[in-house]
């Protein structure tokens, strides 16, 4: 009996030992939980111990590298930064990103393949999105021209759908807290994906939602200047900024600043944007949108301005935004060349 058990055990070990070599030609991450050391060694090898020549970007808590696995699969590897206090990596951000991405599945949210905790290197492994970030695309004249009005409408719709999913279809709701053009990545077909979930927060109704500021300041709602309460309205304001950035081709800081100052009680009505034509603030690198696309761009602008309301409670929900973008109701859109910013800012795109 003892001899039989020993032979059976040896056979099992041999079968298990041979399994990785049989899977090497497939998706390595199908066996991520089985042989993490093999994947770790492969990533260190193909990035030449995280050489700078494989670096493709920086995020708040890590450096991102492009890695070609032995089977030819392309992945993005985010190696966590060491902290100033001597800790090997930002464990809070690392855990937050893992917890978030293992809970959600959406075609406009980057896929997490696996992660590794190691004394030398800790990293996360994602699908590789070769189109780069929205920030880089808009900064390049050629890339911006390739991102035509149809694609830009789809970008805004995709972001709205993903945030609506996170806010309304996840339990508990997930707040990203760093919606910005650098955290919005394209695949080869210009389908956009939200990335960098190291700053996310789960909105638990029985716990405090007050925290220190994280994110990108120029996309943050004005209320964060005097309160650190985190809720979905933070993401909604950031969505408004990003939607306008897609429409005008650059960060709308000057536009937002001028409209904010003109809405103060001391300003005259002539300065509330009624003298500025909407067509004049569109990205001039593209020909003006026409027909149905023009209607969708105007709807997107109206939605964006509603999301930028200085009063958080007056902003629409992302569910309302996603529904409006999916089923726009024509109103001012048929006369794009005559619409002013004042009309868009004052328009109500949502029902109570």
């Amino acid at each position: 009996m003892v001899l039989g058990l020993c032979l059976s055990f040896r056979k099992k070990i041999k079968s298990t030992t041979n399994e990785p070599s049989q899977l090497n030609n497939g998706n390595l991450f199908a066996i991520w939980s089985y042989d993490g050391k093999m994947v770790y060694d492969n990533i260190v090898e193909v990035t030449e111990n995280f050489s700078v020549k494989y670096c493709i970007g920086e995020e708040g808590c890590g450096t991102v590298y492009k890695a070609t696995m032995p089977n030819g699969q392309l992945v993005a590897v985010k190696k966590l930064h060491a902290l100033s206090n001597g800790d090997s990596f930002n464990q809070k951000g690392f855990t937050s990103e893992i917890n978030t991405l293992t809970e959600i599945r959406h075609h406009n949210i980057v896929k997490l393949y696996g992660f590794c905790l190691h004394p030398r290197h800790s990293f996360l492994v994602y699908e590789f999105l070769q189109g780069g970030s929205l920030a880089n695309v808009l900064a390049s004249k050629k890339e911006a021209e390739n991102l035509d009005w149809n694609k830009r409408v789809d970008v805004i719709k995709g972001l709205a759908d993903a945030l609506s999913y996170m806010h309304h279809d996840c339990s508990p709701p997930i707040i990203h807290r760093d919606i910005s053009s650098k955290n919005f990545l394209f695949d080869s077909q210009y389908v956009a994906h939200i990335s960098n979930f190291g700053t996310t927060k789960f909105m638990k109704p029985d716990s405090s939602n007050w925290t220190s500021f994280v994110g990108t300041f120029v996309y943050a709602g004005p209320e964060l200047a005097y309160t650190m309460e985190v809720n979905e309205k933070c993401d909604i304001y950031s969505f408004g900024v990003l939607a306008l950035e897609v429409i005008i081709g650059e960060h709308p800081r000057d536009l937002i600043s001028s409209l904010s100052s003109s809405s103060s009680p001391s300003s005259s009505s002539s300065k509330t944007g009624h003298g500025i034509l909407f067509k004049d603030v569109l990205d001039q690198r593209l020909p003006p949108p026409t027909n149905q696309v023009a209607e969708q761009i105007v709807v997107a602008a109206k939605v964006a301005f509603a999301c930028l309301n200085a009063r958080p409670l007056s902003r629409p929900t992302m569910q309302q935004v996603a529904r409006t973008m999916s089923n726009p109701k024509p109103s001012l859109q048929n006369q794009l060349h005559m619409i002013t910013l004042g009309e868009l800012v004052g328009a109500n795109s949502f029902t109570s």
Side-chain angles (χ1 to χ4, degrees), residues 225-237:
Y226 53 85
T227 179
M228 288 301 157
E229 183 179 10
V230 176
N231 57 48
E232 71 281 359
K233 298 301 182 182
C234 305
D235 282 353
I236 293 168
Y237 185 92

Side-chain angles (χ1 to χ4, degrees), residues 68-84:
T68 305
M69 302 303 290
N71 66 341
Q73 182 180 6
L74 278 175
V75 296
V77 180
K78 181 163 75 173
K79 178 176 172 289
L80 279 296
H81 289 153
L83 300 181
S84 57

Side-chain angles (χ1 to χ4, degrees), residues 1-7:
M1 185 181 294
V2 172
L3 180 61
L5 287 173
C6 288
L7 290 174

Side-chain angles (χ1 to χ4, degrees), residues 258-264 266-276 342:
S258 64
L259 292 175
S260 297
S261 61
S262 67
S263 63
S264 64
S266 60
S267 64
S268 64
S269 59
S270 62
K271 296 181 180 179
T272 58
H274 285 278
I276 305 174

Side-chain angles (χ1 to χ4, degrees), residues 29 43 56 63-67 73-79 110-114 123-129 185:
F29 298 97
I43 287 175
I56 56 174
T63 304
V64 184
Y65 298 85
K66 178 181 178 181
Q73 182 180 6
L74 278 175
V75 296
V77 180
K78 181 163 75 173
K79 178 176 172 289
V110 67
K111 294 182 180 68
L112 175 68
Y113 288 149
F123 52 78
L124 302 107
V125 182
Y126 308 90
E127 65 176 320
F128 178 73
L129 298 172
L185 306 178

Side-chain angles (χ1 to χ4, degrees), residues 273-282 294-295 297-299 301-302 305 331-345 347:
H274 285 278
I276 305 174
L277 292 176
F278 176 55
K279 68 178 182 65
D280 292 336
V281 301
L282 296 177
E295 295 179 358
I297 290 294
V298 173
V299 169
K302 290 166 62 179
F305 285 123
S331 55
L332 301 172
Q333 300 93 300
N334 292 322
Q335 301 176 13
L336 177 64
H337 64 287
M338 298 174 60
I339 302 172
T340 65
L341 290 180
E343 290 174 295
L344 294 177
V345 174

Side-chain angles (χ1 to χ4, degrees), residues 32-46:
W32 178 259
S33 60
Y34 170 76
D35 193 351
K37 184 180 186 304
M38 182 184 70
V39 179
Y40 173 87
D41 291 341
N42 282 335
I43 287 175
V44 172
E45 180 182 356
V46 299

Side-chain angles (χ1 to χ4, degrees), residues 110-139:
V110 67
K111 294 182 180 68
L112 175 68
Y113 288 149
F115 60 92
C116 182
L117 284 170
H118 192 278
R120 289 185 59 203
H121 305 298
S122 293
F123 52 78
L124 302 107
V125 182
Y126 308 90
E127 65 176 320
F128 178 73
L129 298 172
Q130 63 192 60
S133 70
L134 174 62
N136 289 339
V137 168
L138 292 179

